[in-house]
Amino acid sequence: AVARDGWILLSGETAGVESARAVFADLENARRMGATIEPRDFRLAVDVASRSGGISVADLTVVKLVGSRGRKPVIPKTPAQLEYVRAIETNDIVFGLGPAGTGKTYLAMAMALTLLKRRVMQRIVLTRPAVEAGEALGFLPGDLREKVAPYLRPLYDAIHDMLDPEEGQRYLDEGTIEIAPLAFMRGRTLSRSFIILDEAQNTTREQMFMALTRLGEGSRMVVTGDSSQVDLKPGVRSGLAEAEHALQGVEGIAFQRFSQEDIIRHPVVGRIVEAYERYRA
């Protein structure tokens, strides 16, 4: 491969040259659709070309979520992330399962905000179990939102990434985006709502059943979790583990599993996850 100002000359055996041409054609198509090509995209394009098929970089770029004025839209970065987004579009409840850094929570938030802006949903409800505080939120200072904010920091970060500060704060102030600890969800019916249950591996069996049965008319739910990071007390079974077995094959419910290949944080995060899995095995 010889590169000069704006062109690349490929030479070699026909099959190899054709594979390389497919790599650069895929990346060029993605660039023309507004994507910023990163090393991960190049590796994906090479993988697709070597397998002679699969979800290409250009396919990922077709999906654009949220994006306020002056902010880049959120797009899936891996084939599993694209399947996750498509599952959320077509199912009532989706479980996003896998290691940290795979975009489970971030993409769920992007989908929630996209459907809110399209007026498909009337509000977003963000919740998670406050395991570290034993649900004893009364000892923390401030109102309910301030008490639970430390536990929902990843969701707050996603809101600030995707929306203008004023718009995000307005949604929070008027209750369009509602923050609630899981313990406060009992007895409610949530209609036309997009519910995100984060860190679901730390729910008990009773909490998971309670959360899943909150859905009202026109609502959707995304449940995210990582079964390798359970913080429950010894002997307490994770509600996420039970749901994975009990809900297989149920109409309207989908499971999307992520792996180390889908980690989009610093490259060393993927190597850390892989090393720990090897060690624990």
Side-chain angles (χ1 to χ4, degrees):
V2 179
R4 293 290 183 269
D5 300 329
W7 58 263
I8 297 173
L9 173 65
L10 303 168
S11 59
E13 297 181 4
T14 302
V17 169
E18 181 55 31
S19 291
R21 186 206 62 77
V23 169
F24 288 104
D26 182 16
L27 295 173
E28 176 63 9
N29 287 336
R31 189 191 65 80
R32 288 180 177 179
M33 289 189 284
T36 300
I37 305 302
E38 299 175 354
R40 167 180 294 278
D41 301 312
F42 187 84
R43 290 193 296 271
L44 175 59
V46 170
D47 288 343
V48 171
S50 65
R51 293 195 304 266
S52 300
I55 296 175
S56 68
V57 178
D59 291 335
L60 298 177
T61 310
V62 170
V63 177
K64 293 182 172 65
L65 305 174
V66 194
S68 295
R69 288 175 297 177
R71 294 172 186 257
K72 289 184 178 180
V74 177
I75 62 173
K77 296 290 187 181
T78 69
Q81 288 192 353
L82 180 59
E83 292 170 6
Y84 184 49
V85 169
R86 288 173 173 169
I88 295 172
E89 289 176 337
T90 55
N91 290 275
D92 300 310
I93 300 175
V94 175
F95 288 80
L97 310 172
T102 50
K104 307 183 298 292
T105 302
Y106 196 84
L107 282 173
M109 193 70 224
M111 277 298 300
L113 289 170
T114 299
L115 294 177
L116 182 69
K117 285 177 171 288
R118 291 177 185 168
R119 302 186 186 280
V120 176
M121 297 292 164
Q122 292 180 342
R123 62 177 168 171
I124 299 170
V125 179
L126 312 175
T127 186
R128 62 165 281 184
V131 167
E132 296 84 351
E135 299 287 1
L137 297 170
F139 292 102
L140 295 174
D143 59 19
L144 177 59
R145 190 199 303 170
E146 291 169 333
K147 290 175 188 290
V148 79
Y151 300 97
L152 292 162
R153 192 72 258 170
L155 296 170
Y156 273 114
D157 290 343
I159 293 171
H160 294 314
D161 276 356
M162 299 171 199
L163 300 176
D164 295 326
E166 298 81 8
E167 185 179 23
Q169 193 59 49
R170 176 167 55 82
Y171 281 151
L172 289 166
D173 290 342
E174 65 190 18
T176 302
I177 297 178
E178 179 185 345
I179 311 290
L182 187 56
F184 285 64
M185 299 290 284
R186 189 174 300 279
R188 301 180 64 185
T189 299
L190 303 170
S191 302
R192 294 285 302 277
S193 302
F194 194 109
I195 304 130
I196 299 176
L197 171 53
D198 198 27
E199 300 289 345
Q201 74 276 3
N202 289 329
T203 59
T204 64
R205 298 164 67 186
E206 294 76 15
Q207 285 176 328
M208 176 61 77
F209 182 79
M210 179 270 292
L212 293 173
T213 54
R214 296 309 92 201
L215 261 67
E217 190 69 29
S219 290
R220 296 186 203 180
M221 176 181 282
V222 175
V223 180
T224 68
D226 178 5
S227 297
S228 69
Q229 296 189 17
V230 177
D231 298 315
L232 294 169
K233 295 177 180 178
V236 179
R237 189 181 179 191
S238 168
L240 180 61
E242 182 181 54
E244 283 187 66
H245 292 91
L247 300 178
Q248 291 291 336
V250 175
E251 183 180 354
I253 298 178
F255 291 83
Q256 178 60 51
R257 290 176 170 81
F258 297 90
S259 67
Q260 298 97 300
E261 296 177 356
D262 300 301
I263 293 175
I264 55 174
R265 291 178 182 168
H266 193 289
V268 77
V269 174
R271 297 195 288 272
I272 290 170
V273 171
E274 186 177 3
Y276 266 94
E277 287 188 351
R278 241 188 350 258
Y279 175 78
R280 288 171 176 171

